[in-house]
Amino acid sequence: MNRWLANFAYHIDIAWWMFALSGFIAVCIALLTVSSQAIRAAVENPINSLRDD
């Protein structure tokens, strides 16, 4: 990848921690999303969802 990027007029070096950081941020966003949905489902009264069906 560094050889391919070297052909451009403006280029930067890509370090391994950039990929690790982006993966960590993606995992954190996924965990926050899933946990918020799980907490919302656990707190809600099950009678209300049964009444709609």
Side-chain angles (χ1 to χ4, degrees), residues 4-22:
W4 178 69
L5 289 174
N7 293 330
F8 289 97
Y10 301 103
H11 61 276
I12 61 170
D13 292 329
I14 296 179
W16 65 270
W17 62 268
M18 292 181 189
F19 293 106
L21 181 65
S22 62

Side-chain angles (χ1 to χ4, degrees), residues 1-50:
M1 182 172 284
N2 285 331
R3 249 185 300 149
W4 178 69
L5 289 174
N7 293 330
F8 289 97
Y10 301 103
H11 61 276
I12 61 170
D13 292 329
I14 296 179
W16 65 270
W17 62 268
M18 292 181 189
F19 293 106
L21 181 65
S22 62
F24 178 74
I25 291 172
V27 168
C28 287
I29 291 172
L31 285 176
L32 285 172
T33 303
V34 170
S35 63
S36 68
Q37 292 294 325
I39 290 170
R40 187 179 301 158
V43 171
E44 189 170 331
N45 192 359
I47 299 296
N48 292 336
S49 63
L50 290 174

